Amino acid sequence: MDETTEIGRRVQRLRAERGLTQRQLAHPEYTPAYISTLESGRVRPSEAALRFLARRLGVSYEELATGRPDRLGTELRLALTDAQRELTTGAADDAAVRYRRALTDAEHLGLAAEQAEALLGLGDCALETGELSDARRHFESAEHLLVTAGQPLPRRARAVRGRAVAHLLAGELRYACYLLESAIDELTESGLADPEALVLLYAAVIGPYMDMGAHARAAHAAELALALAPQVADPALVAGMHRQVARTFLAEGRVAEADASLAKAQEIYGQLRLRTDLAHCHWMRGYVHAQHGELESAERELRTAREMLTAKRAVLFAAQVEVELADVLRRLGRHEEASGLLSALLDLDAGHGAVHAGGAHRLLGLIHEERGDTEGAEEHYVQALALLERSGATGDLADLCRLLGDLLRRSGRIEAALDAYRTGLGHRAAPGTTTLGPAPAGPRLPAA
């Protein structure tokens, strides 16, 4: 049955339920003959006619046009809000149950925007639980729905960012950069330079830039995000931007500014009760303390982050924190405790945290070396090298090659040591760049 026929039958049913004749329904704007033709499905009513008839029949325009009572759409949006609250305050797998239910309802009602929102939520849940292939699938489906519905790129930015984060967590740094840079370029070149979408994308690209050693690009992205932040109304988005910008401040030795950015983010996340994001702030502050030798403070912050992420069953994020915590414990001389944490991370495969597993092998290599076990240290360094080479984590690779080269040199294997050093230099050959060509063009910012 086509849409025109469905609308006609709907008008006829509602008119009969209300005991109205065609003349009574038509008065004073239309004729009984028009109503008869409409009800028989021989004419498609205009929006003005439908709005007039909806008022006469005592229903909403949407219900008359689609057959869906207003309350169903409202109830579905409420369910999506509940799912989002569950994700921010509870466990991701519990939130996923709510999102799946909402997705089924949205599909039944034919509400594309709500379907996309449910898919984005399922993608966020999958990121927290470490199901990266599921996360990518959900984000790709959401983006496809939005494209099909004719939504502009700013509305699709969350899906692009989600896909990029999934690839980043899987160790695919270059592809994560490619997705984000392409979206930034498309936004700026098409005249759709929406501040919220740009801040979301610039904040997301800082992490892979830093991991690839592209510090100049990361700093530029941070500058642009900070410049756009006053135009952003979403406090959670601003907090996320501050959290990422702190990484660039720290890389430039601007520790006080890094800590101030993290404090701003932490305050906002605490007010909004966004527990995963708040845990990320504790994690980053722990890293800042560790970088400056404040190991006891670093341990407290990192343990807080780990407890919060473990409570939310955010597997990969908790694994990242455990690598940082193990390094602090190693530096405090608590080798057994550090080794216990790291050993559990070695099972992460190339598709689920290769960078984190590589970091665990690197630290275990350091622990073995500090104990005088050069054979064990070399074995872990080599395994770390194999994992990190696939990811393109330039800074980590260069440092690892230095550690392996030093170990080989001390054991008298000079040629093997030189090979390790050359490998490290190869990864440092073009600092501040990626393999993707020129950085994306920045938006035109208003004059100060």
Side-chain angles (χ1 to χ4, degrees):
M1 188 186 304
D2 64 26
E3 187 178 1
T4 300
T5 303
E6 286 183 352
I7 291 173
R9 291 191 177 184
R10 200 173 297 130
V11 170
Q12 184 180 42
R13 176 179 57 79
L14 290 168
R15 179 179 63 77
E17 287 174 359
R18 285 150 180 76
L20 296 172
T21 66
Q22 290 179 340
R23 182 179 299 279
Q24 288 170 326
L25 178 59
H27 183 78
E29 299 290 335
Y30 297 92
T31 66
Y34 175 74
I35 299 300
S36 176
T37 305
L38 187 155
E39 289 183 349
S40 66
R42 285 179 288 154
V43 65
R44 181 181 181 84
S46 66
E47 181 180 337
L50 274 180
R51 291 192 181 279
F52 168 80
L53 293 172
R55 288 195 299 273
R56 296 285 290 146
L57 292 166
V59 296
S60 69
Y61 165 77
E62 182 186 58
E63 182 173 350
L64 189 59
T66 67
R68 294 190 302 266
D70 275 348
R71 64 177 179 79
L72 294 181
T74 302
E75 288 171 0
L76 178 56
R77 286 183 282 276
L78 179 61
L80 287 167
T81 301
D82 289 341
Q84 178 62 31
R85 186 179 67 248
E86 183 70 44
L87 178 59
T88 57
T89 61
D93 47 5
D94 295 332
V97 172
R98 293 178 182 266
Y99 276 121
R100 278 192 289 270
R101 192 179 302 132
L103 178 60
T104 300
D105 291 342
E107 289 171 342
H108 177 70
L109 294 171
L111 297 173
E114 284 72 15
Q115 287 180 58
E117 190 64 31
L119 286 165
L120 289 169
L122 284 169
D124 287 334
C125 292
L127 285 180
E128 284 213 3
T129 56
E131 300 298 328
L132 301 182
S133 60
D134 286 345
R136 286 194 294 270
R137 178 169 52 82
H138 292 314
F139 288 126
E140 285 166 2
S141 297
E143 189 172 7
H144 176 72
L145 261 176
L146 293 168
V147 169
T148 303
Q151 294 295 327
L153 182 56
R155 294 290 302 276
R156 308 194 310 266
R158 277 181 60 201
V160 174
R161 181 254 183 200
R163 288 173 59 202
V165 171
H167 285 286
L168 173 63
L169 289 173
E172 298 162 3
L173 278 64
R174 289 186 180 88
Y175 192 64
C177 286
Y178 166 75
L179 287 173
L180 295 164
E181 288 186 346
S182 298
I184 291 168
D185 272 335
E186 188 178 341
L187 276 171
T188 53
E189 290 171 6
S190 64
L192 298 173
D194 178 271
E196 293 207 353
L198 282 172
V199 168
L200 181 73
L201 296 169
Y202 276 127
V205 83
I206 289 171
Y209 277 162
M210 294 293 289
D211 289 341
M212 291 182 72
H215 294 161
R217 286 198 185 191
H220 186 56
E223 288 171 9
L224 291 170
L226 284 168
L228 290 164
Q231 301 175 55
V232 175
D234 182 355
L237 180 53
V238 173
M241 178 272 301
H242 278 298
R243 196 180 82 210
Q244 294 299 330
V245 164
R247 293 190 65 177
T248 67
F249 285 151
L250 190 60
E252 294 170 356
R254 297 156 66 183
V255 180
E257 288 165 275
D259 208 42
S261 271
L262 290 169
K264 287 178 188 175
Q266 198 165 333
E267 180 183 1
I268 296 171
Y269 288 141
Q271 291 168 352
L272 297 176
R273 300 181 67 200
L274 301 179
R275 290 188 62 77
T276 299
D277 296 297
L278 183 58
H280 278 259
C281 284
H282 284 292
W283 167 15
M284 194 65 191
R285 294 190 88 171
Y287 178 78
V288 171
H289 289 307
Q291 290 295 103
H292 288 80
E294 300 165 4
L295 300 182
E296 290 79 9
S297 298
E299 183 185 356
R300 282 195 299 273
E301 293 283 3
L302 291 170
R303 285 196 183 280
T304 299
R306 182 186 178 222
E307 288 167 10
M308 294 174 75
L309 292 168
T310 301
K312 285 181 60 42
R313 300 194 280 280
V315 180
L316 281 185
F317 295 131
Q320 289 174 283
V321 173
E322 285 168 351
V323 172
E324 301 287 352
L325 178 58
D327 190 34
V328 169
L329 295 173
R330 178 190 69 83
R331 291 166 64 187
L332 287 167
R334 291 150 64 183
H335 287 173
E336 289 300 325
E337 197 175 346
S339 296
L341 269 180
L342 294 167
S343 296
L345 303 178
L346 301 184
D347 292 333
L348 294 171
D349 59 37
H352 290 76
V355 175
H356 321 318
H361 276 296
R362 173 188 170 278
L363 283 174
L364 283 167
L366 281 170
I367 291 170
H368 279 276
E369 194 170 353
E370 288 164 0
R371 290 171 168 171
D373 178 8
T374 56
E375 185 176 338
E378 182 180 347
E379 181 181 340
H380 282 294
Y381 288 154
V382 169
Q383 290 188 64
L385 185 61
L387 286 163
L388 293 176
E389 275 192 313
R390 292 196 294 272
S391 72
T394 308
D396 291 342
L397 274 164
D399 179 63
L400 181 63
C401 289
R402 178 188 59 78
L403 289 171
L404 178 58
D406 289 350
L407 178 68
L408 294 169
R409 179 175 53 80
R410 285 194 296 271
S411 63
R413 295 152 65 187
I414 304 302
E415 284 302 318
L418 288 171
D419 284 342
Y421 291 141
R422 289 188 194 102
T423 301
L425 286 170
H427 289 296
R428 276 299 196 193
T433 66
T434 69
T435 59
L436 305 173
R444 289 186 183 139
L445 300 173

